[in-house]
Amino acid sequence: MDQRKKIGLEKIINSSYNNTTGIVVLKDGKRIYENYFNKYTATNEIHIASVTKSIISILIGIAIEKGYIKSVDQKVLDYFPDYTVKTGEKAIQSVTIKDMLTMTAPYKYKSEPYEQFFTSNNWIDFALNLLGGKAENGKFTYSAIVGSHILSGILVEATGQSVSDFATDHLFTPLDIHIGSDVVLHDKEEHIAFFQDKDVSGWVVDPQGINTAGFGLTLTPMDMAKIGQLYLNRGVWEETQVVPAWWIDESTKEHSRCSQWGNLPYGYLWWIINEKEHCYAAMGDGGNVIYVNGKKEMVVSIASLFVPRAKDRIKLIREYIEPMFEDSVFWLRMV
């Protein structure tokens, strides 16, 4: 019966979630399921899209723990002392790192000007120029790419390292995760190709060489699962405290709420799925997910190629994957 369920699951994936490239399921710290689709293998990286934001959240927490950043209550402009605030624009002066992490910072735009952002000479300055305005501070306003990039600028200013170097030293190396080289996207065609290409690797950088925060990182499904397991372990990896436990507690509890997507609670660049089960996720376009269920001690990572309006992977996990793999003893024998 269980084997039939496994076959049934993969039929569902191949029919209804057919842009999936890989799925890894960990239960009680053990790998109980791993499979690849669309001619991908365990070594293929995928562009994880907005899952990158949750990686940035982790790096902010590490930077605070190590003293590079004082707290989430620091003002954003503390890290950009040369930025000139225009006359009458006071809202930007009160914006904090916490506002950026919880998507409650105000912006001057109604919809993000992606093309203008990507074609500007300085993405950080462009983003700062859009921060503030007359919008209400404290109201959830999802910034997919533009505003999120400011957090990368803060990391660079605070640590004196590139984001990728800081991440490698303090997050990826302890987890034995290897990321590719920096990726420069010169024009619109290269941007589109990066989102659609099946063979990408590395981390996108802006014209100043600052790694992106809202998108642009590539990882394997197992890399993604390791991040989830690290959080399930409260920041400990092989007896080393990689991420402070207090940061995991803070970043995976509700701080704001996204009204346009089912009133879903939001932490520090993590989506809160079910507070009673301490269930949360990093989610990106196309169906890229790092999913953690603290109560069930389960991690699910799903890597996917970009397609518009991808089907909800959380529904796939909650309705199909979790119920199948709750009995880890059987599946450990199957792997």
Side-chain angles (χ1 to χ4, degrees), residues 17-165:
Y17 303 87
N18 57 11
N19 65 317
T20 299
T21 63
I23 297 178
V24 174
V25 181
L26 307 178
K27 181 76 168 68
D28 303 319
K30 305 293 184 181
R31 177 179 59 90
I32 59 173
Y33 180 79
E34 183 176 11
N35 202 7
Y36 297 91
F37 308 85
N38 288 303
K39 298 181 180 179
Y40 275 72
T41 69
T43 60
N44 288 126
E45 297 173 35
I46 198 78
H47 173 220
I48 61 173
S50 285
V51 174
T52 307
K53 294 180 177 67
S54 300
I55 305 300
I56 293 294
S57 172
I58 297 171
L59 298 180
I60 293 287
I62 293 172
I64 291 173
E65 178 71 7
K66 294 186 176 297
Y68 293 109
I69 296 172
K70 291 180 182 178
S71 78
V72 295
D73 296 319
Q74 274 196 277
K75 301 293 191 294
V76 166
L77 291 187
D78 288 351
Y79 293 92
F80 306 102
D82 295 332
Y83 180 78
T84 301
V85 178
K86 298 177 181 62
T87 303
E89 293 190 357
K90 295 182 179 180
I92 187 175
Q93 294 175 295
S94 65
V95 177
T96 65
I97 293 173
K98 184 175 182 178
D99 294 328
M100 308 301 294
L101 291 168
T102 57
M103 294 288 179
T104 56
Y107 296 96
K108 298 173 186 175
Y109 56 75
K110 290 185 178 179
S111 60
E112 287 190 75
Y114 300 126
E115 189 166 346
Q116 296 95 315
F117 173 76
F118 288 133
T119 56
S120 67
N121 294 324
N122 189 308
W123 295 3
I124 295 291
D125 283 350
F126 187 91
L128 288 171
N129 285 333
L130 290 174
L131 188 62
K134 297 180 180 179
E136 180 185 350
N137 195 3
K139 180 181 178 181
F140 189 96
T141 304
Y142 186 74
S143 171
I145 290 174
V146 177
S148 304
H149 193 58
I150 293 171
L151 289 170
S152 283
I154 289 172
L155 278 169
V156 170
E157 293 297 325
T159 67
Q161 289 184 278
S162 70
V163 176
S164 59
D165 283 349

Side-chain angles (χ1 to χ4, degrees), residues 74-333:
Q74 274 196 277
K75 301 293 191 294
V76 166
L77 291 187
D78 288 351
Y79 293 92
F80 306 102
D82 295 332
Y83 180 78
T84 301
V85 178
K86 298 177 181 62
T87 303
E89 293 190 357
K90 295 182 179 180
I92 187 175
Q93 294 175 295
S94 65
V95 177
T96 65
I97 293 173
K98 184 175 182 178
D99 294 328
M100 308 301 294
L101 291 168
T102 57
M103 294 288 179
T104 56
Y107 296 96
K108 298 173 186 175
Y109 56 75
K110 290 185 178 179
S111 60
E112 287 190 75
Y114 300 126
E115 189 166 346
Q116 296 95 315
F117 173 76
F118 288 133
T119 56
S120 67
N121 294 324
N122 189 308
W123 295 3
I124 295 291
D125 283 350
F126 187 91
L128 288 171
N129 285 333
L130 290 174
L131 188 62
K134 297 180 180 179
E136 180 185 350
N137 195 3
K139 180 181 178 181
F140 189 96
T141 304
Y142 186 74
S143 171
I145 290 174
V146 177
S148 304
H149 193 58
I150 293 171
L151 289 170
S152 283
I154 289 172
L155 278 169
V156 170
E157 293 297 325
T159 67
Q161 289 184 278
S162 70
V163 176
S164 59
D165 283 349
F166 185 77
T168 296
D169 290 347
H170 301 290
L171 177 62
F172 295 144
T173 295
L175 272 60
D176 195 27
I177 292 174
H178 305 276
I179 61 171
S181 302
D182 289 345
V183 177
V184 179
L185 302 176
H186 297 92
D187 51 39
K188 183 177 180 179
E189 288 70 28
E190 289 187 7
H191 276 273
I192 293 172
F194 185 81
F195 275 85
Q196 297 179 343
D197 196 342
K198 289 188 176 183
D199 187 23
V200 293
S201 178
W203 198 339
V204 173
V205 294
D206 71 7
Q208 283 66 48
I210 299 173
N211 297 96
T212 49
F215 78 107
L217 177 63
T218 67
L219 295 174
T220 69
M222 185 56 76
D223 292 338
M224 296 163 69
K226 286 179 178 180
I227 297 292
Q229 189 63 44
L230 175 70
Y231 260 52
L232 186 60
N233 293 348
R234 292 180 53 77
V236 175
W237 192 265
E238 295 182 350
E239 300 183 357
T240 298
Q241 192 77 47
V242 177
V243 181
W246 65 265
W247 180 257
I248 293 174
D249 293 339
E250 281 297 307
S251 58
T252 60
K253 72 179 185 182
E254 180 180 345
H255 290 280
S256 55
R257 206 168 262 261
C258 176
S259 60
Q260 65 258 47
W261 292 321
N263 206 30
L264 194 61
Y266 200 68
Y268 288 168
L269 304 181
W270 287 85
W271 296 95
I272 313 305
I273 307 302
N274 186 307
E275 286 195 289
K276 290 182 179 179
E277 295 182 1
H278 196 209
C279 180
Y280 49 91
M283 296 192 284
D285 266 348
N288 288 283
V289 176
I290 301 172
Y291 172 93
V292 180
N293 188 315
K295 183 178 179 180
K296 296 179 180 178
E297 297 190 5
M298 184 179 291
V299 172
V300 181
S301 69
I302 303 178
S304 308
L305 296 168
F306 174 76
V307 293
R309 297 177 295 278
K311 292 192 71 172
D312 184 6
R313 261 51 173 190
I314 300 300
K315 181 178 180 180
L316 172 67
I317 293 169
R318 300 283 284 180
E319 293 188 6
Y320 295 97
I321 294 177
E322 272 192 339
M324 278 187 61
F325 296 107
E326 284 181 325
D327 182 3
S328 61
V329 175
F330 171 80
W331 291 105
L332 281 170
R333 290 199 297 266

